[in-house]
Each structure stands twice: as structure tokens, then as C-alpha cells.
Amino acid sequence: MNNVKTSWRCVICGYIHIGETAPATCVICGASSNDFEVAVEPAAPPAESHQNWRCIICGYLHEGGQPPTNCPICGVGENEFEPHRLTSSTQSTTKITKVVIIGGGVAGLTAAETIRNHSDSMMVTLVSAEQQTPYYRLNLTRYLAGEIDSASLAVHPDDWYATKRIDLRSGQKVINIDRQAQQVFLDDQSVLDYDHLILTMGAHPFVPPIPGSNLAQVFTVRTMDDAEQILKIIPTVESCVCIGGGILGLETAGAIAKHGIKVQVIEGSDWLMPRQLNRQAGQIVKEHLRKLGIEVIENGRTQAITGQEQCDGVQLENGVFLPTQLVIIATGVRPNTHLARKCGLNVDKGLLVDSTMRTSDERIYAAGDITEHHGTLYGLWNAAQYQGKIAGLNVVGERTEFGGIPRSNVLKVLGLDLFSIGQITPLDGSYSSFEKVDGDRYYSLTLRDGRIVGSIVIGDQPSAMKIKQAIEQGHLFPVALFNHIDQFLQQLAR
């Protein structure tokens, strides 16, 4: 029997599988064995490989011999981690000397980590406009809720960057990029030369043109500074109004409510989280919020935030007035594309990238919330981390492609096991859907051509993760199961 191990590369997403034969399906994009090609032959497993572990709840990637005791993002235990290999750890021989990364979020940090893991020689500079060292932005609402302290937000200790020879420039802003000279200009008048540039500037909160949105004690939640300012205000107020009933708005509302403050959420649609939930699931979440003391106002249209210098209330278009001393605006984000436009890169809704995360300039890559990939703005933490890794791999010469990922969301602060992924409602007659309410549990499945393409699960985390894996791996289900959702759940449990 042939026991020689071979590296097999998925031509769709770049995933590397090491084994005697190609896998039946790609664990990343769900492609079949026919979509794998020999990457290195013959190839024994590397003596010192970098093993990744993926949290099946939130998608966090951990590198090490063992999974972490707890996920730093969603808090689940080590049993919720699965082995995950994106590429081999072979050192690249590509002679690139200087890499500059603009943006200290998860995409930029992951790109820097990936480059250093695959190259000892490259000079890596990471420029971050925030004073803090890179931190888990997803955990800001947990910090607001008092579940974690500020020290727990940092991804790595301060001395980690020096140890890894990553030149971290905190609190510095990039004011210009000269593509012809391959230089980056900072606001302290310093200039950085680059051979490759990775843009990971993320996104900024979208604030609708609401009169009074510039008053004192009106906030968005995007940075550590935002969270610190809100925490200073909380002891002095009795109520809060959150404008926006999406994920961030609900998590922020839940975090502030934990301080004993009356919280009202204004949602402009017919139900909460319309991008992630259907009407039935939205009503279940609304009832859960009511039990937490959070009032939800649906079909709410904000006319103005009132007050002189400081807000004192929110006026709705239907004449209802909500007195409050604290307003949170959580109405989405927009990519930070100003620098990209200024230096002449191709930009539409976001900075346009191909599947290697390369922009219209072959020396410049991008990752995270700034990017638009095949018409999609992901705006998700796990997508930003994944794209950052792929950008880093391509910079060091390991050609890897981003094949897209299903959109998935998990609520972290509300104490509610809520999961949403993919296409949650049928688009046309080629789709079918099932729905079930079972006490405190709720299930919804959307199917097409024998595959699950979208789902909502409330109150059953194990089933949610089984469904997530089935979608990501492209599992094909027999038509005989299409009669009732219970049959699907039983099949997934096996």
C-alpha cells in the first residue's frame, strides 16, 4: 500500500490537505475531490507544522499544538474547536524585503502573523491609527457589559510584537500612498517604503443624517475609545436609546442593560435583525429582550435627537418622544476607502479585490471590512481574519485564493444561543424551507438542490454547529429527508 503523504491544494480556495489521496470535500469551501491538485509531491508532513484550530461557533482561528481552553471571542470551551489547516508552513523563498500593513484590526494583524510564520526575513511594519495595541474588536460589547476587563481585550501582550520582529506603529495615521514611488506617508511626517502593501483599514460607523446626531452623549461603538467614553457616562444616566436593531445594536443594548439602565431599541423594519432573522425568529428575540428589560420599538423612524449641547431625548416621526441622556447609533458601517480612492485603486462599494486579495495594483493587497470581493462586502470578523491570512500567504509567495464563506452570526452578550447563516429565506421556487418551534427552541432551514443553504437556530447550539458544518462542507442530503425538519435534525445528530 502506498503510504507516501502528498500535499493536495484546493483550486477553489487554496486549502492544503496532506494525505495519500485528496479529501472527498474541501473543509473550507466544500469543493469535491476533483477540484484538488497536487501541490507538492512527494511531501511528508512538515517536522514543525503550524496547526490551526477553528472555533466552530464564531470562526476564530487559534494557532498551536492544542486548542485554547476557551475561545477569546465567544467564550466556548476547547471541545468546540476543530482542526483547521489553511496551507502548509513551508518557508517561502520569495525575496520580498519590506511589507507595510495599514490597519491594526484582525485582518491586518492576521496578515502580519501569517507573514512572520512563513518568512523570517521579511520586514513587517503594522500601522494602526488607534493608540491601543491590536485587540478583539468583537469583545467591545462584552467589555461594555463588564464581562471582561480591558486587559483581556488585547490579542497579544505588548512585547509579542518585538519578539516577532513586527514593527508596530500605534497611534499613527496614514495620510497618503504614493504607488509609483511605493511609499506610505504618516501623519508624523515619517515615510515607509514598501515592496508590498496590505490595506486593512476596516470600516467606520454609518451615521444617518439625523438632526442632533452630533450632540454630546451620542455615540457609535467601533473602537476602544468609544467603549471607554460610554462607560464613563453610564453611571450618570438613567436611560439609553439604541438606534438600530441589528447585531451590534442588540449587543450594545444588552451590555448597557446589565448596568441597570432602562434601554429602548429602535428598529426601522418590521422585526429585529432582518438581515439575519425571519419574522418568527425576530419575535422570539424580541420576547427574550423584553425579559431582560429591553423595550423594542419596531417600524421606528427617528426624526431627531433633541437637546441643546447634550442629548435629552429622541423624537420619532410618529410623534412619540423618548426621553434619554444616552443615545447609541448602530446603523451599519461603511468601508474606509478614502486612501484607496485617493491613490487611484479601483473602488466600488468597497476596495475591489480578486480571490488572492490583490487590488488593481499588483503590489497592493487588501483584507477585511474595506474589501469588496465579487460584489460582496462581508463585514464579518471571521471573514476579515480569513482574508488577512490569505493576503499574507500570497505576499510570501504561497498562492492561495479566497472562495467566499457563508455569512454566519452568533449573539454573544444577550445570553441567547442564536445562530444564523447563509440564505435564510427562499429566493424563488427552486428553494424550499422548513420551520419548527419547540418550546424555547426554534429551527429554520432553507434548502436548494439537496443542500442546506441557510438556517436560523435558537436555543440549540449543537444542532446549529452541525448545520454550519454541513453548509460549509457542501453536504448533499437525500430527497427522502425533505419531508420534515425533524428528519434533518436526526440525520445531522448522527
Side-chain angles (χ1 to χ4, degrees):
M1 180 178 291
N2 180 16
N3 293 319
V4 176
K5 302 292 186 180
T6 300
S7 294
W8 300 85
R9 186 194 303 273
C10 174
V11 299
I12 306 299
C13 70
Y15 166 71
I16 296 291
H17 171 81
I18 297 178
E20 297 174 29
T21 60
T25 57
C26 177
V27 300
I28 301 297
C29 67
S32 70
S33 59
N34 293 332
D35 292 313
F36 277 78
E37 62 182 5
V38 175
V40 180
E41 186 177 11
E48 295 182 0
S49 63
H50 293 282
Q51 174 68 61
N52 289 320
W53 297 87
R54 181 172 67 171
C55 174
I56 63 176
I57 306 299
C58 69
Y60 166 73
L61 289 179
H62 172 80
E63 189 168 322
Q66 299 293 330
T69 304
N70 295 101
C71 177
I73 300 301
C74 63
V76 299
E78 60 183 333
N79 292 335
E80 304 296 341
F81 278 78
E82 61 183 4
H84 177 79
R85 186 181 296 278
L86 186 61
T87 187
S88 67
S89 61
T90 305
Q91 293 284 329
S92 170
T93 58
T94 306
K95 295 181 179 179
I96 302 173
T97 56
K98 297 178 181 178
V99 181
V100 175
I101 303 169
I102 305 175
V106 62
L109 179 58
T110 303
E113 292 172 336
T114 302
I115 292 169
R116 183 53 72 230
N117 286 340
H118 291 260
S119 172
D120 290 327
S121 61
M122 290 185 182
M123 297 173 60
V124 181
T125 302
L126 179 61
V127 183
S128 175
E130 296 190 57
Q131 291 290 346
Q132 298 84 6
T133 55
Y135 57 88
Y136 293 111
R137 197 178 305 278
L138 271 182
N139 277 348
L140 283 178
T141 50
R142 293 183 66 197
Y143 177 56
L144 273 176
E147 295 179 355
I148 59 175
D149 57 22
S150 59
S152 301
L153 284 172
V155 179
H156 298 296
D158 292 351
D159 60 359
W160 179 89
Y161 298 89
T163 301
K164 292 291 185 178
R165 291 177 293 107
I166 295 173
D167 180 11
L168 176 62
R169 306 284 187 96
S170 295
Q172 295 188 1
K173 296 181 180 180
V174 176
I175 59 175
N176 197 26
I177 298 169
D178 186 334
R179 291 167 50 202
Q180 184 173 1
Q182 295 179 224
Q183 292 181 321
V184 171
F185 297 84
L186 307 183
D187 59 356
D188 65 354
Q189 298 185 344
S190 60
V191 180
L192 302 174
D193 297 321
Y194 69 84
D195 294 295
H196 274 291
L197 181 63
I198 304 178
L199 304 181
T200 60
M201 289 93 79
H204 61 275
F206 169 66
V207 178
I210 302 172
S213 59
N214 60 340
L215 291 172
Q217 299 190 186
V218 177
F219 298 96
T220 57
V221 183
R222 184 68 182 179
T223 68
M224 182 71 172
D225 288 341
D226 295 333
E228 294 285 7
Q229 291 184 57
I230 294 169
L231 286 173
K232 289 180 181 178
I233 297 298
I234 282 178
T236 69
V237 304
E238 298 178 354
S239 66
C240 171
V241 171
C242 289
I243 301 175
I247 294 176
L248 179 60
L250 296 188
E251 290 186 346
T252 303
I256 293 175
K258 286 194 173 184
H259 293 271
I261 293 172
K262 175 186 176 182
V263 179
Q264 295 168 296
V265 174
I266 302 173
E267 169 54 49
S269 301
D270 293 342
W271 63 85
L272 292 169
M273 297 175 60
R275 290 185 177 181
Q276 295 86 17
L277 304 178
N278 57 26
R279 184 184 293 273
Q280 179 68 42
Q283 289 303 309
I284 292 173
V285 174
K286 179 181 178 180
E287 176 61 19
H288 180 78
L289 291 172
R290 186 190 65 79
K291 293 177 181 179
L292 296 178
I294 300 172
E295 178 187 359
V296 175
I297 301 171
E298 295 160 334
N299 292 306
R301 303 287 190 275
T302 302
Q303 185 178 77
I305 300 170
T306 61
Q308 295 300 316
E309 296 182 356
Q310 179 178 307
C311 73
D312 60 20
V314 174
Q315 180 68 54
L316 302 184
E317 289 182 359
N318 63 3
V320 174
F321 179 73
L322 308 174
T324 187
Q325 306 84 39
L326 173 62
V327 175
I328 305 295
I329 298 178
T331 49
V333 297
R334 297 292 185 271
N336 290 324
T337 57
H338 171 69
L339 274 175
R341 292 179 188 273
K342 186 178 178 181
C343 72
L345 295 173
N346 290 346
V347 176
D348 190 11
K349 293 176 294 184
L351 175 55
L352 298 177
V353 295
D354 65 15
S355 292
T356 66
M357 309 313 297
R358 183 157 27 204
T359 68
S360 53
D361 185 323
E362 65 178 8
R363 296 178 297 266
I364 301 178
Y365 291 79
D369 292 356
I370 190 177
T371 63
E372 178 182 345
H373 175 257
H374 293 175
T376 299
L377 299 170
Y378 281 92
L380 299 172
W381 191 93
N382 58 333
Q385 185 188 43
Y386 190 12
Q387 289 181 347
K389 191 152 197 170
I390 288 174
L393 287 169
N394 282 292
V395 162
V396 300
E398 293 276 0
R399 181 176 172 83
T400 312
E401 294 190 354
F402 176 70
I405 60 173
R407 292 172 175 269
S408 62
N409 298 278
V410 179
L411 283 182
K412 304 183 301 300
V413 170
L414 301 178
L416 182 68
D417 287 332
L418 184 152
F419 173 78
S420 171
I421 187 171
Q423 183 62 44
I424 60 172
T425 56
L427 293 177
D428 54 43
S430 66
Y431 293 79
S432 58
S433 62
F434 301 115
E435 187 178 38
K436 176 184 178 182
V437 179
D438 182 10
D440 294 334
R441 297 183 174 188
Y442 173 78
Y443 306 88
S444 173
L445 289 174
T446 304
L447 302 109
R448 189 186 192 198
D449 297 332
R451 289 181 170 85
I452 304 173
V453 297
S455 177
I456 303 167
V457 179
I458 299 176
D460 188 349
Q461 187 181 88
S463 291
M465 294 309 103
K466 294 282 189 181
I467 292 170
K468 182 175 185 289
Q469 290 176 326
I471 292 176
E472 290 180 342
Q473 298 173 15
H475 285 176
L476 185 65
F477 292 87
V479 177
L481 289 178
F482 287 14
N483 296 323
H484 198 278
I485 195 170
D486 285 336
Q487 293 176 294
F488 268 98
L489 297 177
Q490 292 168 8
Q491 177 73 14
L492 289 167
R494 290 197 291 267

